[in-house]
Amino acid sequence: MAGHFNLSIIPDRVGVPESRVSGFEKFEAPDPAEWTARGYAIVNVDSRGVYDSEGDIRWLGSAEGRDGYDAVEEIAKMPWCNGSVGLVGNSWLGMAQWFIAAEQPPHLKCIAPLEAASDMYRELLCRGGIPQWPFWGFLAETMCGRNRQEDVKGMLDEYPLMNEYWEDKRAQIGRINVPAYILASYSTLLHTMGSFRGYEELGNKRKWLRVHPTQEWFDLYQTSTNDELQMFFDRYMKGIQNGWEETPRVRVSLLQFNQPIVNYPFDTWPVPTTRYETLYLAKDGTLSKKAPLRADMLSYQSDVRSLQIDSDSEELRFEYTFPRKTCFLGCSRTLLRMSCPEYDDMDVFVQLRKADRDGHILQNINIPFQALEKGAEEIESVNPLKYLGPTGALRASHRAIDPKLSTPFWSEHDYTSREPVERGDIVTMDIGIWQTGIVFDAGERLVLKVSGHNMTLAEFTALREQLTAANVGRHVLHVGGTNQSRLMIPLVEIDHDSG
């Protein structure tokens, strides 16, 4: 999307040395020098309005899908093309694939969205009904073109509720009818939900999901990644019978936090053997299988400005110690009983963390240490390099559930209207937490954090401290008693001696 970007915008180039790429690659795209040697032409198509492309820059949606349809069909006419076109790329280059493939261009044979959000409003700009603008403001400022650019921030300011404009920016994945190689990770703050949703909603059975343990740009330039992608493309663009269909449909990496990665194949996602465990929040800061009878209250100051370096104050913390080795895999869900005596709304953020046996909260380094040539203490605290844990967010006035988009393992909310909270009234907030896969050894702890500010690391150091809190005063969390605050976590039985 933006050819003037390169991996140097991230400290240590996310472990990809300059010698690994040719310099001909576009940002988040495959390297033409490598792929022409593999027998493929790489076409880097500028979106409408970008650089010297005519028209105005648009932010995804069905319009980008129709432009992509035209591009696919024009490429298929080129004398050097065999009539088979595939799509591949990270982030925007992946998000665009959902919209293009939904238009069903005849010469599109397969897609490879390598970590790609699929709903701009619900997953990116306004997750949980809470505007999250800094990263997208940075992106808007770096878009280059000769004409105008769609002002999505202005649209969010003018139209904060769900409408036809925002619905058009949710990809109709069920319309996609070509084979798909889908990449996902837990570490991205942008694409995790969209990648998993893409796999779940694809209507055809020719789909594969690989959940890798690192960062998307690092993974893109691994030889093993490209060898596998070539096998996928050879099968569906060249018709080579190479046994690709024998590849497990779902392959999941489980994080042990700076310990060896564990990998498991599954037949589908979500894993059908998933068992949900309910843990109740207690006044003493524990998570317990036994519901506390006594009603109590805890509170935090809601308008603390997040430093985004994993060291903020005013965060409630609840812990559960695993008695045996446990595999935690999938989406979690919190039902929190909340009130605010000073305002008619609340932005509530939750995060799950892993702690060691002594209660020290851990960070997972996304890039292998040998690729960074650094120790953990020397690595910059930015999201591409460190994974803290999965998060959830919800504005109380959007606590109503959308039954059409909700699933047994994920509660989606209704953003078409606001339902303010009377000051001091207690409401239940059903907050979904994005997918993760973590192995806990016996004695290690699961930590739930609840606060009024975003608890994530910034994508870049320049974006730190830009996530301002919209809250006022103190939030009160009600635990124990009737209709208790609780956390549901997804557990999967696996053979810990294999993988």
Side-chain angles (χ1 to χ4, degrees):
M1 181 61 190
H4 62 283
F5 279 174
N6 62 62
L7 295 179
S8 297
I9 66 174
I10 299 297
D12 306 306
R13 288 179 53 88
V14 289
V16 181
E18 289 192 55
S19 60
R20 174 62 182 85
V21 291
S22 67
F24 293 107
E25 75 284 349
K26 276 210 171 184
F27 188 58
E28 302 182 313
D31 188 342
E34 177 170 359
W35 280 89
T36 51
R38 292 174 178 267
Y40 287 87
I42 298 294
V43 182
N44 290 312
V45 180
D46 290 334
S47 295
R48 180 185 293 263
V50 174
Y51 299 128
D52 283 328
S53 181
E54 296 177 350
D56 300 325
I57 296 175
R58 301 185 293 202
W59 284 57
L60 301 170
S62 62
E64 176 122 320
R66 292 188 294 274
D67 283 351
Y69 179 109
D70 293 342
V72 167
E73 294 308 297
E74 285 301 311
I75 292 169
K77 296 176 185 177
M78 297 293 105
W80 41 261
C81 182
N82 68 353
S84 296
V85 179
L87 302 175
V88 62
N90 290 116
S91 194
W92 192 296
L93 302 180
M95 291 187 282
Q97 291 180 55
W98 297 129
F99 293 96
I100 295 169
E103 298 294 324
Q104 301 179 355
H107 289 90
L108 180 64
K109 303 303 181 183
C110 58
I111 61 173
L114 308 179
E115 300 211 38
S118 53
D119 185 325
M120 178 166 281
Y121 182 98
R122 296 178 181 87
E123 298 167 11
L124 301 177
L125 292 177
C126 207
R127 183 178 170 191
I130 305 170
Q132 302 280 299
W133 182 249
F135 174 78
W136 300 99
F138 160 81
L139 185 60
E141 291 174 0
T142 57
M143 293 259 197
C144 298
R146 298 188 180 277
N147 299 306
R148 300 178 300 173
Q149 179 185 160
E150 181 180 1
D151 183 6
V152 287
K153 183 180 186 301
M155 291 297 288
L156 190 59
D157 291 340
E158 184 72 18
Y159 303 104
L161 301 179
M162 182 59 60
N163 59 15
E164 291 182 2
Y165 173 82
W166 296 116
E167 285 291 2
D168 183 67
K169 296 186 184 299
R170 179 181 175 89
Q172 302 303 306
I173 294 175
R175 288 180 45 81
I176 297 174
N177 58 11
V178 295
Y181 178 109
I182 300 168
L183 189 70
S185 75
Y186 316 119
S187 60
T188 175
L189 297 178
L190 307 173
H191 305 304
T192 298
M193 178 56 69
S195 297
F196 282 99
R197 181 175 86 86
Y199 181 83
E200 292 162 18
E201 294 188 5
L202 271 171
N204 72 78
K205 295 182 179 180
R206 296 176 300 169
K207 58 182 181 179
W208 288 264
L209 173 66
R210 180 169 68 89
V211 185
H212 70 98
T214 62
Q215 198 273 345
E216 58 193 274
W217 304 327
F218 177 82
D219 186 84
L220 176 64
Y221 297 111
Q222 300 307 301
T223 300
S224 58
T225 295
N226 290 319
D227 288 346
E228 187 167 289
L229 280 172
Q230 180 179 349
M231 191 174 180
F232 173 74
F233 288 133
D234 283 352
R235 174 66 187 92
Y236 294 112
M237 294 179 67
K238 296 183 178 181
I240 298 175
Q241 297 292 336
N242 56 11
W244 169 258
E245 285 87 352
E246 298 174 10
T247 304
R249 298 292 170 155
V250 177
R251 289 168 294 164
V252 173
S253 296
L254 302 177
L255 305 179
Q256 300 196 94
F257 278 57
N258 308 323
Q259 300 296 322
I261 304 298
V262 187
N263 299 289
Y264 286 92
F266 295 100
D267 295 329
T268 188
W269 180 274
V271 177
T273 57
T274 303
R275 173 179 60 86
Y276 275 84
E277 186 88 72
T278 298
L279 302 174
Y280 296 93
L281 283 62
K283 177 71 176 291
D284 63 0
T286 60
L287 293 167
S288 173
K289 294 181 182 181
K290 185 177 180 181
L293 298 179
R294 178 180 172 180
D296 279 304
M297 295 182 293
L298 298 163
S299 68
Y300 55 80
Q301 189 65 25
S302 67
D303 49 2
V304 170
R305 190 184 188 93
S306 174
L307 300 177
Q308 292 193 274
I309 54 174
D310 198 22
S311 62
D312 296 321
S313 60
E314 297 297 323
E315 298 172 353
L316 299 180
R317 172 171 167 169
F318 303 87
E319 295 185 2
Y320 174 77
T321 301
F322 287 97
R324 63 185 64 85
K325 193 164 190 174
T326 303
C327 174
F328 183 118
L329 180 61
C331 290
S332 300
R333 182 181 172 196
T334 54
L335 275 76
L336 303 181
R337 299 275 288 162
M338 304 290 304
S339 66
C340 179
E342 300 160 275
Y343 192 53
D344 67 353
D345 213 343
M346 294 173 280
D347 290 351
V348 178
F349 298 85
V350 296
Q351 183 186 58
L352 295 179
R353 302 294 296 269
K354 179 176 179 176
D356 64 18
R357 292 177 176 87
D358 297 320
H360 299 129
I361 292 185
L362 305 176
Q363 298 176 336
N364 187 67
I365 307 304
N366 293 333
I367 312 300
F369 289 114
Q370 62 269 26
L372 293 176
E373 298 181 345
K374 288 184 176 182
E377 67 284 351
E378 302 174 274
I379 296 171
E380 186 73 36
S381 290
V382 291
N383 185 64
L385 297 181
K386 291 183 177 180
Y387 176 64
L388 304 183
T391 61
L394 181 62
R395 179 163 285 180
S397 56
H398 290 300
R399 63 192 180 279
I401 300 297
D402 183 338
K404 293 182 179 179
L405 297 183
S406 295
T407 69
F409 53 89
W410 180 258
S411 296
E412 192 55 87
H413 295 84
D414 182 359
Y415 302 113
T416 60
S417 62
R418 288 185 69 246
E419 185 182 354
V421 182
E422 292 293 333
R423 296 185 184 188
D425 280 2
I426 302 173
V427 295
T428 299
M429 298 180 65
D430 188 340
I431 307 176
I433 300 175
W434 278 10
Q435 297 90 342
T436 196
I438 302 174
V439 174
F440 291 85
D441 284 325
E444 292 184 327
R445 307 180 191 183
L446 172 69
V447 177
L448 169 67
K449 296 172 75 173
V450 183
S451 77
H453 57 266
N454 199 310
M455 293 177 279
T456 60
L457 299 177
E459 289 292 310
F460 314 120
T461 54
L463 294 180
R464 285 177 180 158
E465 298 187 64
Q466 294 189 27
L467 288 171
T468 56
N471 293 305
V472 175
R474 297 196 73 80
H475 291 171
V476 179
L477 172 62
H478 301 261
V479 298
T482 59
N483 197 13
Q484 301 205 5
S485 292
R486 54 199 184 275
L487 167 70
M488 281 81 60
I489 58 173
L491 305 181
V492 175
E493 296 294 331
I494 57 175
D495 179 1
H496 294 289
D497 295 324
S498 63

